[in-house]
Amino acid sequence: MENNEIELVRALTKTERDTITKFYGAFKMKQPEILDEICMPDWKDIPLAPGQKDGPKGLQEIMKYLFIVCPDIEIVIHDIFGTHDRAAVRASMEFTHVNEIMGIPPTHKKVSIALHEFHYLKDGKLTHTWHLEDWFGLLMKSRASAKDH
């Protein structure tokens, strides 16, 4: 880079922010097919859940399962920050724990699972998502709830 050239960091575009908002909104609206609009066909969900297929269709199946076991599921976005083509999201998955999930017995309480996700985008669509959910926190909350009874 020459001295007179300044490399600027570009902000997330409105389209990129809208894509991320739609991604999480698909949970509240119970519309997993939204992923077909906002994800590249070869989108990578990293890491895959046990038995999850690759691509948007794989997450759509997980979403359908979650809609059954967590009927009031919603993802609340707390922060979106990043640069053009890359975004980090701090969010929480909130639902009433009325059914067994991943072997964790229901507490019948409203719970909140922390989410930390990193998205790569190209042409306004998601190409990769790295995610971490605090399922261990749910396990610990359910054990504490069981001791209350």
Side-chain angles (χ1 to χ4, degrees):
M1 182 163 68
E2 295 181 18
N3 289 340
N4 61 353
E5 290 182 35
I6 298 174
E7 189 171 322
L8 299 176
V9 175
R10 292 178 51 204
L12 287 166
T13 66
K14 180 179 182 335
T15 299
E16 291 167 338
R17 288 190 311 273
D18 289 348
T19 295
I20 292 165
T21 302
K22 285 179 185 177
F23 180 80
Y24 297 105
F27 284 84
K28 183 173 183 161
M29 295 183 293
K30 309 282 187 286
Q31 295 179 351
E33 63 277 4
I34 288 174
L35 272 59
D36 292 330
E37 299 171 27
I38 61 170
C39 295
M40 293 289 194
D42 61 348
W43 169 74
K44 299 293 181 201
D45 189 18
I46 306 164
L48 292 173
Q52 181 182 350
K53 295 176 185 165
D54 212 4
K57 298 292 184 218
L59 182 57
Q60 288 169 343
E61 292 303 315
I62 299 283
M63 292 171 76
K64 290 172 187 174
Y65 166 75
L66 288 172
F67 298 157
I68 293 168
V69 298
C70 312
D72 64 345
I73 193 167
E74 177 180 3
I75 296 183
V76 177
I77 299 171
H78 302 294
D79 289 307
I80 298 174
F81 52 93
T83 60
H84 177 59
D85 292 339
R86 294 183 182 193
V89 175
R90 184 178 66 84
S92 56
M93 184 182 332
E94 301 183 0
F95 58 91
T96 306
H97 187 197
V98 294
N99 292 297
E100 181 179 304
I101 185 167
M102 297 188 327
I104 303 170
T107 62
H108 302 282
K109 294 182 180 180
K110 190 79 172 174
V111 295
S112 179
I113 308 276
L115 303 176
H116 297 93
E117 304 195 325
F118 300 91
H119 302 281
Y120 277 32
L121 301 103
K122 183 177 180 179
D123 301 326
K125 291 191 173 196
L126 297 169
T127 65
H128 295 76
T129 298
W130 289 263
H131 57 92
L132 179 64
E133 300 88 14
D134 183 20
W135 291 108
F136 184 70
L138 177 61
L139 176 63
M140 298 311 293
K141 289 174 193 171
S142 71
R143 286 186 176 176
S145 179
K147 288 180 184 177
D148 293 342
H149 290 89

